[in-house]
Amino acid sequence: MKNSILTFISAKKSGKKLTMLTAYDYSMAKLIDECGVNGILVGDSLGMVCLGYKDTLSVTMDDMIHHTKAVARGTTNALVIGDMPFMSYQTSLYDAVKNAGRFVQEAGAQAVKLEGGAIVCPQIQAIVDAQIPVMGHIGLTPQSVNMFGGFKVQGKDMIHAKKLIEDAKKIEAAGAFAIVLECIPSKLADIISKEISIPTIGIGAGGGCDGQILVYQDMLNMFSDLKPKFAKNFANVGDLMRDGFKSYVKEVTEGTFPSIEHCFKIDDEILNKLY
Ligand code: KIV
């Protein structure tokens, strides 16, 4: 059944855990969608895991639209959420609404996500007023990596922990349907999850969140540049792929691939006339 923001809201009420994964292309979206996740985020993590940048700051709206279109084509049941890249919503309310609209109108997403606390609440409210559902994102928000001085756990001291609780409440009041909590202490995530009535989706925020999200390359051991502590290895797909690629190289080199079953035939009569 197609997931919508109502699925997210009712899961919070019933206590059913929500599942989300990232995807960036058609075939992976199809695979993930078939496995029953509630939501697929076309994350701006695209910049790191697919495009090879050191952070997410170089990702553009056009990159995001291109990949969100592919994911939307491969998704039947999950809610498709497009991640608003750096400078696509910080600059003005107009830019925020316009760019959120592109995710829905051009790319086929059903919602958008944007990073930040109280400071981006006017943008959240404006996008929601334009009838586009918004997912918030607080804690380690990668677009703020230069302000944080690196990819670091957030909310460990009193001032910052309190600020995150306040931000979550303000994001809820601005009209968001869910909030990603990234890389914050589990007990702080538990408090936030209890204090708000929209679902929290954790990544490095412990089991008390109302749902979880992971970058699929992290959980399948397919990305070696960064290995976050919170990313459990659910399957060694990276190793399986390496084995497959090595076997291909070996068989082509040795001349055992392609063999007869991978080849197409032509009638001998035609063949004999060719030379
Ligand atoms: O870009 C992304 O993939 C994200 C998730 C890690 C939440 O924002």
Side-chain angles (χ1 to χ4, degrees), residues 4 6 20 22 36 64 70 72 75 88 96 104 110 116 137 147-148 176 178 225 227 250 255 259 261 266 270:
S4 71
L6 299 182
M20 288 189 64
T22 63
M64 292 305 302
T75 306
S88 69
V104 175
Q110 289 96 46
H137 183 168
M147 293 298 281
F148 294 153
D225 293 4
K227 290 230 176 266
K250 184 168 183 287
S259 58
E261 71 264 34
I266 184 170
I270 299 171

Side-chain angles (χ1 to χ4, degrees), residues 41-226:
L41 172 73
V42 190
D44 65 351
S45 48
L46 166 81
M48 298 173 79
V49 294
C50 295
L51 304 180
Y53 298 127
K54 69 174 192 336
D55 53 41
T56 60
L57 303 179
S58 307
V59 177
T60 64
M61 267 307 290
D62 286 344
D63 292 332
M64 292 305 302
I65 294 293
H66 180 70
H67 287 267
T68 306
K69 277 182 177 174
V71 168
R73 285 192 288 264
T75 306
T76 308
N77 293 321
L79 182 75
V80 175
I81 301 164
D83 205 4
M84 299 194 70
F86 186 52
M87 288 298 122
S88 69
Y89 56 95
Q90 291 91 343
T91 41
S92 69
L93 295 188
Y94 176 83
D95 286 349
V97 176
K98 186 87 188 150
N99 286 320
R102 285 191 66 193
F103 275 103
V104 175
Q105 203 166 38
E106 286 177 46
Q110 289 96 46
V112 297
K113 174 174 86 56
L114 55 81
E115 297 181 7
I119 197 81
V120 294
C121 282
Q123 279 88 334
I124 294 176
Q125 202 165 348
I127 297 169
V128 172
D129 284 348
Q131 306 304 298
I132 299 168
V134 177
M135 176 176 268
H137 183 168
I138 56 173
L140 170 49
T141 43
Q143 291 173 22
S144 307
V145 63
N146 291 324
M147 293 298 281
F148 294 153
F151 295 108
K152 297 179 194 308
V153 178
Q154 300 296 308
K156 289 182 82 165
D157 59 53
M158 180 65 89
I159 292 175
H160 290 101
K162 273 190 167 166
K163 169 91 170 65
L164 285 172
I165 297 171
E166 284 314 307
D167 281 343
K169 288 181 180 169
K170 286 180 179 155
I171 289 170
E172 174 180 21
F177 73 94
I179 306 185
V180 170
L181 303 180
E182 178 163 354
C183 266
I184 65 171
S186 310
K187 289 190 173 160
L188 174 59
D190 293 350
I191 295 172
I192 295 174
S193 301
K194 287 194 184 95
E195 291 275 324
I196 60 176
S197 61
I198 54 172
T200 55
I201 308 295
I203 174 163
C209 295
D210 303 302
Q212 296 292 325
I213 182 166
L214 284 174
V215 170
Y216 81 78
Q217 285 91 341
D218 288 341
M219 62 165 303
L220 298 181
N221 202 14
M222 290 172 66
F223 186 68
S224 53
D225 293 4
L226 252 182

